[in-house]
Amino acid sequence: MPPSRPPAESPLVLDDQGQPRSRLYGDVYFSTLDGLAESRAVFLQGCGLPEAWAGRRRFTVGELGFGTGLNILALLDLWRRTAPAGAWLDIFSIEAHPLAAEEAAAVLAAWPEVADLAELLVRRWPGRARGFHRLDLPEVRATLDLAVMEAGEALAGWTGAADAWFLDGFAPSANPQMWRQEVLDLVAARSAAGARAATFTVAGDVRRGLQAAGFEVAKRPGFGRKRERLEARRPGEPVSRPAPSRVAVIGAGVAGASVRRALGLQGVEAVVFDARGRGSGGSGNPAALVTPRLDAGLGPVAALFAQALARARRLYQETPEAVIAEGVLQLARSERDAGRFARIAASDLFEPGEMLALDADAAAERAREPVGPGLWQGGALVVRPQTVLAAWLPEVTVANVAEVRHDGASWRLAAPSGEVLGRFDAVAVCAGPGASALVEAIPLQPVRGQIGIARGAEAPAAAWGGYAAPADGGIVFGATHDRDEASDEVRPADHRRNLDLLAGGLPRLARGISPDEVLGRASVRAVTPDRLPAAGRVPGAPDGLHILGGLGSRGFCLAPLLAEHLVAQMLGAPSPLPAAPAEAVAPDRFLRRAARRSGGGFAPD
């Protein structure tokens, strides 16, 4: 069995005076005089804060070099004291070598005046997997997206525009990669008009690099023993766009619930419509697996699912009573799977030790019966769908939305009778297969699935093409997969199909279940032609119409993250999703592909 990836060695060491230093770069994380005072003088004052956010609805700060999080604590402390009423702070920071939460807690304990913010930040501290990590900080009306990767890759993937930049990489002499012209050019490309930037260094290469990137640069008095520091400004004046204050969400499954949760966190009113009420479709099963699509190519699609799993796991674990079980065993279906599993287990897209390739003996121990090799997905979950939906979707308007139309000023929703159900600034269509009647530009195919429910049976969570999962009072297993069928009637013949499927993965478990005692539930999901979801603006529609659909059987894994991506687009905020995965789920990809096939002039995917 291949070994799992070992945890990374800590980048932090303490010098003879007990000051934190980087083991990798040989430089201090902050001033030995007073790191918090340095952050305030160099970065907050250097970016003209708090004056720069006066009168703003949103303000975005970017940072190169998250380190101990001290700059962000100083920023959050200032924001909570001076932010405009109702405003939201978006933070994007980059750290190639993140500290562990306990290390950060020990370092930040030196400043008791921000102890409450430090506790808040450390409690939600991100992991070490390569990718973007989102931290919700609603207590201070802020969101932090941390990119765990090199600066150039992170900036190329981020689609936001910062109003201020904290350029706080280690000294250029110790970490020249952080201060390359390519990185400074990307900082400029990811800056809003009028953006300010600040840094502790006045090195000539940095000064000239910022000027070459289009910034106006000036030296200012430094902090402590440093004589000077730099301030820079991007020409232009900031422009803010209006954001919706009232949004309609169509669909009360996990997609609609996730959009409602993301909107509510931002203080936006959301009215949710569903013809049959909460959890009536594919999100209404007694248990749901939260697992990624296993892609050994480890490209943008694999990154999408890894990030989605991490985000979903954190949110479900924060939802009381939502989690039934942690960990799902993926069983091999062919001889090639052992190699695939080893490659996935070694990937840095997941937290160290989260994915473990198992030989047949180790897999059998987890499965509780003889099986072949497997992949233990320690970060996967089994959740209670109705618990999640009830927490994220407290109110649902039971109504059939037959028409969504823009009248030039707002979006109007109408029932089949023509009755107007309401007018809204924006609409999110999350209606599963029913979205096809409302959004014609997205090709969606219905897929009927029936599950089996065995009361009194016990089994760990496992998947192999079929699946079995613990549920309250028994297990859920299955499921059938019938394309272009839209019936949710339970069929007795499908109980036999599901038992046969179960026997193909866990035969001992299947033998203990009587076909006469199997209950069932059928529902219809939607998939797209490339089996990836559609999340974002509807192509060809007036501004304000969005879709989250085509989730297939991975809705409880994908929906939380993709809903935040959709809501970010809706509100004009930075998306938590890097550019390449966002492109993979863009709703307009089907039109662009069709245009290319017909010789049109659209840019490639």
Side-chain angles (χ1 to χ4, degrees):
M1 180 177 69
S4 63
R5 183 186 57 174
E9 184 178 358
S10 172
L12 180 144
V13 295
L14 299 180
D15 63 18
D16 294 339
Q17 288 74 46
Q19 291 291 321
R21 301 181 70 89
S22 169
R23 177 181 58 80
L24 301 171
Y25 299 104
D27 196 6
V28 295
Y29 277 93
F30 43 72
S31 169
T32 57
L33 296 178
D34 185 339
L36 183 59
E38 178 189 41
S39 293
R40 288 167 169 161
V42 174
F43 299 110
L44 302 187
Q45 179 183 331
C47 287
L49 304 176
E51 293 80 11
W53 59 49
R56 298 286 296 274
R57 177 183 60 84
R58 300 195 82 91
F59 196 85
T60 302
V61 174
E63 179 185 46
L64 305 190
F66 180 69
T68 64
L70 185 58
N71 292 337
I72 301 307
L73 283 189
L75 173 66
L76 293 173
D77 180 51
L78 182 65
W79 175 259
R80 67 177 172 179
R81 291 185 283 109
T82 65
W88 197 271
L89 176 66
D90 297 301
I91 307 168
F92 176 69
S93 187
I94 302 168
E95 179 57 59
H97 309 287
L99 304 183
E102 58 270 19
E103 293 175 318
V107 170
L108 298 175
W111 293 281
E113 61 265 46
V114 290
D116 58 333
L117 287 174
E119 191 276 334
L120 192 66
L121 184 62
V122 168
R123 180 156 33 97
R124 294 164 192 170
W125 198 256
R128 296 185 177 187
R130 177 170 58 87
F132 284 18
H133 300 249
R134 170 152 286 196
L135 283 70
D136 295 321
L137 301 166
E139 297 87 346
V140 287
R141 296 189 60 79
T143 300
L144 168 62
D145 288 317
L146 179 67
V148 177
M149 58 185 67
E150 296 294 336
E153 181 185 5
L155 290 167
W158 189 52
T159 56
D163 300 295
W165 282 101
F166 300 168
L167 307 182
D168 194 26
F170 292 111
S173 58
N175 184 21
Q177 289 295 308
M178 178 72 84
W179 303 95
R180 306 188 323 271
Q181 187 62 52
E182 295 91 335
V183 171
L184 297 179
D185 288 343
L186 282 166
V187 167
R190 303 295 183 264
S191 296
R196 302 274 294 269
T199 181
F200 61 88
T201 182
V202 291
D205 286 348
V206 174
R207 189 172 65 254
R208 290 186 292 272
L210 286 169
Q211 290 172 331
F215 284 94
E216 301 164 349
V217 181
K219 293 182 179 180
R220 296 287 185 260
F223 176 83
R225 300 186 184 93
K226 294 180 180 178
R227 276 198 336 230
E228 295 175 309
R229 58 183 173 84
L230 287 184
E231 293 183 6
R233 186 179 184 277
R234 187 91 167 140
E237 296 298 325
V239 177
S240 60
R241 54 167 277 185
S245 58
R246 190 166 187 259
V247 176
V249 179
I250 304 171
V254 68
S258 297
V259 170
R260 159 64 181 78
R261 188 204 70 82
L263 287 167
L265 190 71
Q266 298 276 333
V268 178
E269 180 188 0
V271 181
V272 182
F273 296 89
D274 194 283
R276 296 192 295 172
R278 184 171 57 209
S280 59
S283 299
N285 289 341
L289 291 182
V290 185
T291 56
R293 191 169 98 182
L294 298 175
D295 185 346
L298 304 179
V301 172
L304 165 67
F305 278 93
Q307 183 184 355
L309 174 64
R311 185 60 175 152
R313 179 174 63 246
R314 173 164 289 203
L315 293 176
Y316 295 143
Q317 288 174 336
E318 293 173 353
T319 304
E321 304 300 322
V323 177
I324 296 174
E326 298 187 4
V328 176
L329 176 63
Q330 182 74 35
L331 299 175
R333 301 175 64 186
S334 70
E335 293 182 358
R336 298 175 55 192
D337 280 343
R340 291 179 57 247
F341 292 168
R343 181 171 171 79
I344 292 166
S347 168
D348 60 1
L349 292 175
F350 301 94
E351 296 299 325
E354 182 178 321
M355 294 285 187
L356 297 174
L358 306 178
D359 61 20
D361 290 339
E365 184 176 350
R366 293 188 183 271
R368 303 179 193 169
E369 64 173 275
V371 292
L375 178 71
W376 176 246
Q377 304 175 80
L381 300 174
V382 183
V383 298
R384 297 179 177 89
Q386 290 297 342
T387 300
V388 172
L389 298 186
W392 295 3
L393 202 55
E395 295 183 6
V396 176
T397 299
V398 178
N400 182 9
V401 178
E403 183 183 50
V404 176
R405 177 174 296 181
H406 197 264
D407 62 10
S410 62
W411 287 94
R412 187 194 72 169
L413 272 60
S417 64
E419 176 192 1
V420 176
L421 299 171
R423 297 180 184 275
F424 301 87
D425 302 317
V427 178
V429 179
C430 310
S436 295
L438 301 172
V439 181
E440 297 180 356
I442 314 300
L444 294 172
Q445 179 185 36
V447 178
R448 177 188 177 277
Q450 181 171 313
I451 61 167
I453 303 169
R455 300 294 183 191
E458 294 183 6
W464 58 91
Y467 73 91
D472 294 328
I475 66 166
V476 170
F477 63 96
T480 62
H481 186 87
D482 299 317
R483 298 179 183 179
D484 294 320
E485 291 197 28
S487 169
D488 60 4
E489 180 184 2
V490 175
R491 301 170 181 170
D494 285 351
H495 293 328
R496 184 70 263 173
R497 290 173 63 191
N498 279 329
L499 279 172
D500 290 343
L501 188 59
L502 183 63
L506 300 172
R508 181 180 295 175
L509 175 63
R511 286 195 297 269
I513 298 174
S514 169
D516 296 334
E517 297 176 357
V518 174
L519 305 175
R521 183 179 186 273
S523 57
V524 183
R525 293 184 170 90
V527 298
T528 65
D530 60 9
R531 297 302 184 263
L532 289 174
R537 299 182 183 92
V538 173
D543 188 41
L545 183 62
H546 297 73
I547 184 171
L548 178 53
L551 300 175
S553 61
R554 306 282 181 184
F556 278 86
C557 177
L558 290 166
L561 175 64
L562 294 184
E564 292 175 330
H565 170 64
L566 181 152
V567 168
Q569 289 187 346
M570 190 179 285
L571 300 184
S575 170
L577 202 58
E583 182 71 14
V585 300
D588 69 351
R589 67 188 187 271
F590 305 105
L591 292 179
R592 287 186 282 114
R593 291 169 187 168
R596 284 201 308 275
R597 287 193 296 270
S598 63
F602 282 76
D605 287 345

